[in-house]
Amino acid sequence: MKNLKKRWENELKSAVPPLCDSVKNAEIPVKDSMKRTPSSKVVSERRKVWQKPGLWAGVCGGVACAFAMAVVLPGLWGGSGEVKASEMKVMNISCNPSVEFVLNEEDVVVSVNALNEEGNLVISAETFDGKTAEEAARLFVQVAEESGFIVSGSNVELIGVTNEITVAFSGDSAAAEALYDTIKGEVENYFTKKDIQGRIAKAEKAITEEDLKILITECSPNIALEKVQAMGYAELVEMLADARQETKDLYSQELKNAYYEMKAFALEKSGLDTVKENVDVITATILDGVYTPYTEAVSAIEEMRIALLVDEDSPYQQALEAFRLAKTQYLNYRNEVAQMEKSAITDAVLAQLNGYKNVLEEAESVLRACGIQANEKLEEQKEFIKGIYEEVLQTLNGFELDVKDYADKIESEHKQASEKAFEDFKTKCEKEINAAHDKWTEMKGELGKGKHGFDEEPSREEKPEQEEVDEESSNHKDAPMEPSSEDFEGNVEEGKPSVGEEESGALGQEKYEHGENHP
Amino acid sequence: MGVDVLDALLGRIANGDNAAFEEFYGQTSRGVYAFVYTYFRNRADTEDVLQTVYLKVKTGIHSYRVGTNPRAWLLQIAKNQALTEFKKRRREVPTEVIEIVADPCFGEGTVMDAMRRCLSEDEQRIVTLHVLWAYKHKEIAEILGCPTGTVTSKYKRAIDKLKKYLKEDE
C-alpha cells in the first residue's frame, strides 16, 4: 500500500478534464468601484443616533436622512451603475411557528425574532445566528419537526396537519427568488429524508418597506415617525436587525413589547436627567416640583411591568406556564397519534387529541387575556407619564429653555447618559431574560417526546452518531489525528498537500461556514 | 501549492488575469474533482459540476477577500454547487437501487474505484479532504458539520476498508 496518494493523484490527473471553452472565455466581472460601507460601521453609527429620545427627533431625522443618502444608498449600488450589490433582507418562515430572520449581504443570519409564541419555542431551541439562510431554514424545519409542529407519519391528514411552510422575503425580488429556490430544495430534501408529507411555498405577499417601517416603530417606540419614514431600505433592515438583537432571549411577545416600551421611557428619562443636571441650581429646584412626580411615575411603570408580566406569581406568567404545558401535551400526543398504526386510531384516541387541543385553545385565550389586561394597566400608566412629561416640558419652556436647543448644546453629555441608561436597562433586564430563556429551554426538553414515547428522550438527528462517536472515540482515543505511514505514504505524511499546503486554520474555515466571504 | 500562492492567484484573477485563472484551475481542480465526485460517483455529473464551480470562481471572484482563506472559499463553492446539483438530480432519479457500474476511467484496482465501492459518501469526503486537501480532522469536522470524533473514527474505518480492498485487488 505504497504511495497511495501519488497513485490517486495520477488517476485524477488523467481524469480531470481541461477547462471548457465557455468557462475559459467567460469574462471576469469588473470590480465595483464603490464598496459598501461595512455594516458594523453603519450599525454602530446608527445606534448612536437611534438611542436618542424623542426630543432629539428632528435633529436625528435630518442626520439619519443625510446619513442614509450619503452612506447607505450609494452603497446599495455598484459604482458603474450596472451591477447591483447584494443587499440585506428579511426572511420570514412560517408553519404556525413563525420566525423572522434578518440576513446580511451574504445571506447569513444576523438576527432572529419569533413572530408568535410557537416561533419563540423554535428559536429558543437552537442558535440560528451565523448560519446561512439555507441552513437556518433547514434547522427551523428540523426543530419544528422535533417539537411536533411538523408531523411525520402517515396519519397527518387524519389529524388535520398540513405541514405547510411559507417563506416571505423583503427586497430585490430576483435575489429573493433565487434564495427561495435554494431553501425550497433544502426543505424538500429534509421532508423526503424524514418521510414527511409537507410542502413549501413562497408567500403571496413580499415584505415591503412599509412593513419594515411598522416593525421598527413597534420595536423602537421612542423613534420619531418622520425619521423612520425617511429611512431607505438598507437602513430599515439594519435597524430592525439591531433592535431584534436586544430581545432575542425574551421568548414571549408580551415580554418583548413591554421591554421596548420600558426602554423608551428609560431613554426619555435619561434625556431629561441630563437637562436637569445641566441647568442652574435655582431652575433645578423649581423643576423638582414636576420632575419628581415624573421620575416616580417612570419607576412605577417599571415596577408594574415586573409585577404584571415578569414575576413568577403574576397572572401572565402563570398563564404562560399553563399554555406551555398544554402546548407540550397536545403536540406530543399529536405526534404519538401520527406514528400510530391506522387501526389503532380509534374514536377514543381522536377524542383525547381533541381534548388536548381544547385545553390548549383555552390556555391560549387565557394567556391572551392576561396579556391584554396587563397591557391595559401599563397603558394607563403610560398615559399618566405622558401627561407629566408634558408638564415638565412646559416648565422648562417657562424658563425659556428650549429643550431642543439645549439638547444640542449638551449633546455629548446626553449621548453618554443615554448610552448609560440603555446599558443599565439591559443589565436590569438580564435576570428576567435569563429566566425566560431557561423556561423555554425546559419546555423544549419536554417537547418531542410524543415521537419516541413519553418515557424516552427525544433524539436529534446527530445523536446516534454522537453516541457512536463517543463510544468509538474511547476506543480510538490514542489513534493519531493525522494519516500515518500505514495509511498513506508520500506527501501527506510529510505535510505536503496538493491543494494548498499550509494549515488553513479552523477559524478560517469557520468564517466561510458562517458565510463571511461566501461566494 | 501553498495558500499564499492560491491567494495571490485569486488576487490576480480579480484583476482580470485569465492566465492566473488557468493556473488556479491547474493547481486546484484535482482536489475539487475528487471532492465533487463523492457526491455523484460518476464522471459526467462530476465534470459538469467542476466546470460550473470554476465558472462561479470567475464570476464570483470579487466575493473573495484577498488575504483570507482561498481553500475554504473554493471548497465552499464546490460544496454548495455539488449539493445544489445533487438535490436536483436526486429529485429526477427513480427510487430503485442503482447498481454501481464500473467507470471506464476508474477501473478496478484504482483508488477512485476502491473509494467508490467500499466507502460511504461521508467516508469518501473525509478521506478526500484529509489526503488531497490536507485538512485536519478538526477542520473537516467543521466543514462537514459533525464532531471531530466522528471524523477520526470514520477516517480510520475508511482507511482500513481501503487497505483491505486494495490489498485484495493487488
Side-chain angles (χ1 to χ4, degrees), chain A residues 253-264:
Chain A
Q253 296 309 113
E254 295 294 350
L255 294 179
K256 282 180 189 176
N257 294 341
Y259 174 94
Y260 289 128
E261 298 276 2
M262 293 309 115
K263 186 183 82 174

Side-chain angles (χ1 to χ4, degrees), chain A residues 257-486:
Chain A
N257 294 341
Y259 174 94
Y260 289 128
E261 298 276 2
M262 293 309 115
K263 186 183 82 174
F265 283 122
L267 295 183
E268 198 168 66
K269 184 177 165 296
S270 81
L272 285 184
D273 282 344
T274 319
V275 173
K276 191 168 173 285
E277 277 165 21
N278 284 275
V279 294
D280 60 67
V281 179
I282 299 171
T283 309
T285 311
I286 299 170
L287 202 58
D288 272 345
V290 284
Y291 194 70
T292 308
Y294 168 75
T295 53
E296 283 171 358
V298 172
S299 300
I301 199 171
E302 176 57 8
E303 282 167 20
M304 280 175 79
R305 180 181 75 96
I306 303 287
L308 293 169
L309 291 170
V310 180
D311 261 0
E312 276 194 12
D313 298 332
S314 65
Y316 179 77
Q317 284 291 336
Q318 298 280 335
L320 194 59
E321 196 62 36
F323 166 75
R324 288 166 180 166
L325 181 66
K327 190 98 203 169
T328 309
Q329 283 176 332
Y330 171 66
L331 291 179
N332 284 345
Y333 191 69
R334 193 175 73 171
N335 267 316
E336 226 182 37
V337 177
Q339 310 292 324
M340 284 178 181
E341 290 290 326
K342 273 212 164 57
S343 56
I345 305 177
T346 59
D347 287 348
V349 169
L350 291 175
Q352 175 76 14
L353 184 63
N354 260 333
Y356 280 129
K357 195 178 177 185
N358 292 338
V359 172
L360 172 62
E361 283 170 356
E362 177 64 22
E364 205 165 358
S365 67
V366 171
L367 178 65
R368 202 170 296 128
C370 286
I372 290 168
Q373 207 175 10
N375 274 327
E376 278 173 358
K377 286 183 183 165
L378 287 172
E379 205 59 43
E380 279 173 28
Q381 182 71 4
K382 266 165 61 185
E383 289 304 314
F384 180 60
I385 292 173
K386 275 181 196 165
I388 311 180
Y389 181 70
E390 285 303 318
E391 273 184 51
V392 175
L393 292 186
Q394 278 172 18
T395 312
L396 285 170
N397 283 337
F399 291 113
E400 295 184 345
L401 274 172
D402 185 305
V403 175
K404 191 172 165 298
D405 286 351
Y406 203 84
D408 286 343
K409 280 181 206 158
I410 57 163
E411 188 176 358
S412 62
E413 284 94 336
H414 173 256
K415 205 179 269 182
Q416 284 170 10
S418 176
E419 280 170 10
K420 187 177 178 305
F422 180 61
E423 287 308 317
D424 288 349
F425 182 72
K426 274 207 298 195
T427 310
K428 211 162 70 177
C429 292
E430 208 171 299
K431 198 178 161 192
E432 66 186 80
I433 287 174
N434 289 341
H437 182 272
D438 291 347
K439 279 194 175 180
W440 278 102
T441 310
E442 196 183 313
M443 182 181 166
K444 165 71 192 150
E446 289 299 312
L447 276 165
K449 289 187 176 177
K451 269 178 271 181
H452 314 283
F454 280 93
D455 298 329
E456 289 175 28
E457 283 293 311
S459 71
R460 293 298 301 262
E461 193 184 347
E462 294 81 9
K463 202 169 175 183
E465 189 176 53
Q466 181 64 54
E467 281 165 359
E468 177 193 6
V469 172
D470 291 345
E471 194 182 317
E472 291 202 10
S473 54
S474 63
N475 296 336
H476 303 311
K477 61 185 170 188
D478 298 325
M481 287 285 284
E482 300 310 305
S484 67
S485 55
E486 282 182 347

Side-chain angles (χ1 to χ4, degrees), chain B residues 21-133:
Chain B
F21 176 71
E22 286 184 33
E23 197 181 335
F24 184 77
Y25 180 81
Q27 294 294 341
T28 56
S29 55
R30 276 167 292 164
V32 173
Y33 185 97
F35 179 72
V36 172
Y37 191 87
T38 63
Y39 287 88
F40 301 100
R41 299 181 179 214
N42 74 69
R43 292 187 65 200
D45 287 338
T46 305
E47 286 176 11
D48 282 353
V49 171
L50 183 77
Q51 299 294 339
T52 315
V53 167
Y54 282 90
L55 183 64
K56 288 202 165 179
V57 166
K58 226 177 190 185
T59 56
I61 187 65
H62 298 304
S63 68
Y64 176 71
R65 288 172 203 152
V66 175
T68 55
N69 190 336
R71 281 194 309 175
W73 182 75
L74 176 61
L75 189 61
Q76 190 66 46
I77 300 177
K79 185 180 164 186
N80 287 349
Q81 192 55 36
L83 279 172
T84 307
E85 285 302 317
F86 180 69
K87 278 174 217 155
K88 262 193 216 165
R89 286 176 176 45
R90 197 151 127 161
R91 282 198 287 273
E92 291 160 8
V93 169
T95 51
E96 66 259 27
V97 179
I98 298 166
E99 196 191 337
I100 297 174
V101 290
D103 187 323
C105 186
F106 300 127
E108 281 189 25
T110 62
V111 181
M112 288 297 271
D113 182 58
M115 299 246 308
R116 200 174 52 135
R117 284 180 186 277
C118 53
L119 304 190
S120 70
E121 284 179 22
D122 272 354
E123 287 169 341
Q124 285 185 52
R125 251 161 248 154
I126 289 167
V127 172
T128 304
L129 289 173
H130 191 58
V131 177
L132 291 181
W133 289 74

Side-chain angles (χ1 to χ4, degrees), chain A residues 461-473 481, chain B residues 122 126 136-155 157:
Chain A
E461 193 184 347
E462 294 81 9
K463 202 169 175 183
E465 189 176 53
Q466 181 64 54
E467 281 165 359
E468 177 193 6
V469 172
D470 291 345
E471 194 182 317
E472 291 202 10
S473 54
M481 287 285 284
Chain B
D122 272 354
I126 289 167
K136 295 188 181 308
H137 290 190
K138 192 177 166 216
E139 293 168 324
I140 296 171
E142 282 167 6
I143 294 167
L144 300 180
C146 60
T148 309
T150 308
V151 174
T152 305
S153 57
K154 281 189 176 175
Y155 180 78
R157 264 205 305 266

